[in-house]
Amino acid sequence: MSPPLLSVGEEECQSNVTLLASPSSLESVCQNAELKERNYMGLRNRPSVNNSVVPAVFDGCKIAFNLKATELRLGLPGSQSPERDADFCALSSAKLDEKPFFPLHPSNDGHYSSQKIVVSGNKRGFADAMSGASEAKFIANPEANIVLSPRPSPNLGLKNGSGLESFGSRPAKVKEIPTAQEAPEKPYCTKETRPNDGSGSNNGSAPAPKAQVVGWPPIRSFRKNSLATTSKNAEEVDGKPGSGALFVKVSMDGAPYLRKVDLKHYSAYQELSSALEKMFSCFTIGALGREMLSESKLKDLLDGAEYVLTYKDKDGDWMLVGDVPWEMFLDTCKRLRIMKSCDAIGLAPRAVEKSKNKN
Amino acid sequence: MNYFPDEVMEHVFDFVTSNLDRNAISLVCKSWYRIERFSRRRVFIGNCYAISPERLIARFPGVKSLTLKGKPHFADFNLVPHDWGGFVYPWIEALARSRVNLEELRLKRMLVTDDGLELISRSFVNFKSLVLVSCEGFTTDGLAAIAANCRFLRELDLQENEVDDHRGQWLNCFPESCTSLVSLNFACLKGDINSAALERLVARSPNLKSLRLSRAVPLDTLQKILVRAPQLVDLGVGSFSHDPDSETYNKLLTTIEKCKSMRSLSGFLEVAAYCLPAIHPICSSLTSLNLSYAPGIPGSELTKLIRRCRKLQRLWILDCIGDKGLGVVASSCRELQELRVFPSDPYGVGNAAVTEEGLVAISRGCPKLNSLLYFCQQMTNAALKIVAQNCPNFIRFRLCTLDPVKPDSSTNQPLDEGFGAIVQSCKGLRRLSLSGLLTDQVFNYIGMFAEQLEMLSIAFAGNSDKGMLYVLNGCKKIRKLEIRDSPFGNIALLRDVGKYETMRSLWMSSCDVTLGGCKTLAKKMPRLNVEIINEIDEMEACNDDGQKVEKMYLYRTLVGPRKDAPNYVWTL
């Protein structure tokens, strides 16, 4: 049957578009507690009722309760929502006049505001549970290049901090709410922080993808472009974009598959060498048959006779690892190869000479 | 009534170099006006549409140096379409036609074409100096024309321009007879450079004092250039990345030690941190250091460098120096006057790069600080108050929180009180840019205390028309006001329409002014050009006076509406 509550929802607010997106899943929930759900929709007229109201309605409905519990886990990996639990508890005491979660300017938190929070908050809460997939997809794109209107609605019932990572990207969607509703609020809106930024009390967990405002921060395009070019150049090495990691492939002659190591993780050749030893020990053991090898023997294998560690540099040449300063190596190394010594004769002559000189 | 012959008056006026003073002189009497106008050599036009080239030439036929500015400041941040205006060709043409003996042309945010550059090079025999800042529309072909034809060229300074790099070897176009170069800056060019031609050019320019190279110039070329030009005072390094064990690098070390006149260092458009020790020998005499284009130098390397620069007066740096690094700056650079901290990762995922702590440290260590541009993750009122107390000499104070409406990070209050402290303490403040969560109150403070304020930039601030009115009523010397995304509407716009003739320009975008309000203003003030930029719905929106205007730019002018506006710009 066509769920009547959907049509009720439709009258409210266009954020219900997401509700409609997955009518089938919605229906299954509806079957269980149809009447109660309608009540839930009707709750919008009660002021200051926040998201946590939902479980009260679904008391007897475990499915919905679980939905509620799982609702916010659709955010970024690592985002916890400790505040949520507090909400569940608070719920029972039926605190009606809870302040909006962004009490930046207490004097301006009119009733109008909090009422608005209810509407959007509730709707979104439900919508989140239903449209998990699309939500996750949206969040997964960290490069969400959303141009926010400069007056983000404060009425999104968002907490600062990690709790609402899944809501972090929401503002852009909710932006589709008819601006007529928000127009009279504009003077307030300009003061509120954008919901996806924590204020000073941010828990420092994985921040939501920042939406970009046109022309902010105010840097000359020339400067912005050259920053972009230089960071792109830095990523030429087979590494993860962004700071922190420099992954390169490591191959070993005779091994069935390659590995990847993060060069930035190490600060010297010695560390890299021992890490590679550990990583490829399984292959060397295999290569030598089923003999039991001690660590020292393994070391001999890699350091001395059997294997040589080489790398491919920016020009495509295979070089012996260890000649240049570590930082320079980081700059130029594109991949690593653990070569059998017998194959190492064809190395760049300078490298071979240098290694001879060292010995 | 002349007590002295004209020549004597002219000689006296020669000692008056400031244009403001010369303007005052010309108001004394008709003969002084006449004498002054024939002897004026430098003219500054802050808005190229405020006057026409013909009128300029009519009044100052002896002009030798012309400075022109075109697009509004917010064009730097992509808020103004590219072909909005600011075409320099009509100016060059008019000056050429009237046989003005132009020697210097300085342009900012203007549209320059190759034809224009060529016309300059062929029309003005004594042309000596071309400075282009944040301009676009030309290619290296135009530069080749300048190089080839300006026989006495002293200065070619290209700062942050968008230049199309064609394959022509413009550096080769400097004739062998050209030996007059004093300043050459092509750091913004992206294409390849003929190193040999560059080396030869430097070799035959004994007066070269300032040289800024582009990224394409490698370290070995730099070394050869420095051998030829140890007298350089200002150097912009292109690429600074090399095997530190190599002979080239070692040669560079010895060469740099001989550059005893070096006072200013910039560039490092491509740099390996392990090469930086090469410049340690000259650090102790540096007064200006710009590492804001040098990517990826870790804070520790930066501080190692800056620790040695005890005479530094100007420092431009990226925020990866961190608060701790700024602490090192504060303790090492006591003479610091200008500091700019740029964001290395503008849309980054909240790596708290610099915060209020860094700024407070600087204020404690550098009491001579008078110019600041600071991009930060967060700010507090308390910090701003301390800064205001420690550094009362600010002339330019520009603070930018990466989140435009971020409140005080420790109290969640607006930053009104902090900025209020700044304007109250810094009585000489001429330029101010605000950011963070701000209410009408901050504008109340600005109107009350910022008596010398000439330029104010506002974004995402204020609650009501009162805010803008505080500024318009209180800041008597305001010349440029630019506002974006703030709730100021017709009431504020129309309260005192006469004010705008005392200002150079007003920019308002994404505010609450309507088309009707702008029309009213334009009608009342015929000597203002009120331009509406409306890129969407060009025709339709014209009829709805109640509709909010997306972008409005108004400026005083003596020559009426301009004729070169594109069709999405209406002058009301």
Side-chain angles (χ1 to χ4, degrees), chain B residues 246-259:
Chain B
S246 68
E247 198 187 325
T248 310
Y249 188 77
N250 288 321
K251 274 200 267 182
L252 180 69
L253 291 173
T254 26
T255 312
I256 287 189
E257 273 176 26
K258 299 210 180 89
C259 298

Side-chain angles (χ1 to χ4, degrees), chain B residues 317-353:
Chain B
I317 201 130
L318 288 173
D319 61 4
C320 30
I321 192 175
D323 286 331
K324 284 218 186 82
L326 288 177
V328 173
V329 173
S331 53
S332 318
C333 309
R334 300 288 177 168
E335 302 294 314
L336 200 66
Q337 293 176 23
E338 176 178 335
L339 174 68
R340 297 197 187 190
V341 181
F342 292 96
S344 50
D345 192 11
Y347 309 112
V349 203
N351 301 318

Side-chain angles (χ1 to χ4, degrees), chain A residues 37-239:
Chain A
E37 283 177 324
R38 202 179 293 142
N39 248 348
Y40 159 55
M41 288 306 181
L43 278 172
R44 77 181 189 286
N45 291 323
R46 269 214 283 163
S48 325
V49 175
N50 56 24
N51 296 355
S52 319
V53 158
V54 176
V57 176
F58 284 126
D59 249 350
C61 178
K62 281 213 172 130
I63 300 170
F65 196 86
N66 286 338
L67 274 175
K68 187 66 195 152
T70 57
E71 170 181 322
L72 283 180
R73 308 300 152 88
L74 303 172
L76 290 172
S79 64
Q80 299 303 314
S81 35
E83 296 100 320
R84 270 305 170 182
D85 299 323
D87 266 1
F88 279 123
C89 307
L91 167 276
S92 46
S93 54
K95 274 198 291 176
L96 284 186
D97 262 277
E98 225 177 87
K99 271 177 113 181
F101 303 125
F102 253 137
L104 292 169
H105 232 236
S107 54
N108 284 312
D109 290 338
H111 285 300
Y112 189 41
S113 305
S114 42
Q115 196 173 29
K116 274 282 189 116
I117 290 172
V118 173
V119 178
S120 321
N122 272 336
K123 295 263 153 54
R124 250 190 309 101
F126 206 77
D128 269 346
M130 289 304 110
S131 61
S134 55
E135 175 78 84
K137 250 192 278 171
F138 191 80
I139 293 161
N141 175 18
E143 296 294 300
N145 226 335
I146 316 149
V147 176
L148 267 192
S149 115
R151 303 198 188 94
S153 166
N155 311 320
L156 302 179
L158 294 178
K159 295 188 176 109
N160 49 2
S162 53
L164 295 177
E165 295 315 310
S166 57
F167 288 15
S169 36
R170 263 304 191 158
K173 269 194 196 168
V174 186
K175 273 282 103 214
E176 267 62 74
I177 293 175
T179 42
Q181 280 182 17
E182 297 180 14
E185 292 250 2
K186 273 182 183 166
Y188 298 109
C189 293
T190 46
K191 293 178 351 296
E192 314 282 355
T193 52
R194 276 183 290 144
N196 60 352
D197 298 335
S199 46
S201 44
N202 199 338
N203 319 0
S205 56
K210 273 214 169 107
Q212 295 179 19
V213 177
V214 174
W216 197 271
I219 324 175
R220 273 195 189 151
S221 3
F222 183 84
R223 185 177 284 278
K224 240 189 284 185
N225 293 341
S226 49
L227 264 181
T229 338
T230 47
S231 58
K232 232 196 303 169
N233 289 341
E235 291 161 22
E236 265 170 20
V237 191
D238 184 13

Side-chain angles (χ1 to χ4, degrees), chain B residues 1 3 10-11 22 30 54 105 133 147 152 177 180 199 229 275 289 328 404 421 428 430 433 447-448 509 534 542:
Chain B
M1 209 172 338
Y3 299 123
E10 192 176 311
H11 189 63
R22 292 192 79 114
K30 279 194 183 151
E54 288 75 25
L105 188 62
V133 179
F152 305 113
S177 55
S180 46
E199 289 165 41
C275 291
L289 181 61
V328 173
R430 295 209 296 256
S433 296
M448 268 203 281
S509 63
N534 194 0
C542 202

